[in-house]
Amino acid sequence: PNISIMKENIWRLGMKYKITEKVDVLEVDNENLAIYDYESGDVHYISGTGKMIFSLLECKTNIPQIIDKLCEIYSANRNELENDVTEFIKELELKKVVIAYED
């Protein structure tokens, strides 16, 4: 296994995430969000489970807490969710939609 990726993911699990103030979130319908980034002018679309994860980020939370909540809601396997949630959060962070911080 790639040790550097594992270390990065372990570090990320301890970070809290919040939605940056530089975006505007619009609910398109029950399943979809549009996120407008004021700085770049980009619009990002989030649907399905991504919308649920994004709503959990409004509470300024960490990845394990998000996974716990998703396991409750969807009766899903924690190991299966961990990678997907981590990758989704990383993608949002790269797009500067969310920011990581330490408490």
Side-chain angles (χ1 to χ4, degrees), residues 4 23 29 32 52-53 55-56 58-59 81 85 95 97:
S4 65
V23 298
D29 56 34
N32 300 286
M52 173 60 69
I53 294 169
S55 71
L56 293 170
E58 291 175 351
C59 300
L81 285 175
V85 170
K95 293 178 178 178
V97 173

Side-chain angles (χ1 to χ4, degrees), residues 9-49:
N9 286 341
I10 289 168
W11 174 80
R12 293 246 177 253
L13 291 175
M15 298 296 290
K16 286 203 171 188
Y17 291 86
K18 64 181 178 180
I19 300 167
T20 180
E21 296 173 3
K22 299 173 184 175
V23 298
D24 195 12
V25 181
L26 306 165
E27 189 163 359
V28 176
D29 56 34
N30 288 339
E31 292 292 318
N32 300 286
L33 292 176
I35 301 165
Y36 176 70
D37 182 335
Y38 290 109
E39 284 189 353
S40 69
D42 292 337
V43 177
H44 309 287
Y45 295 95
I46 297 176
S47 61
T49 306

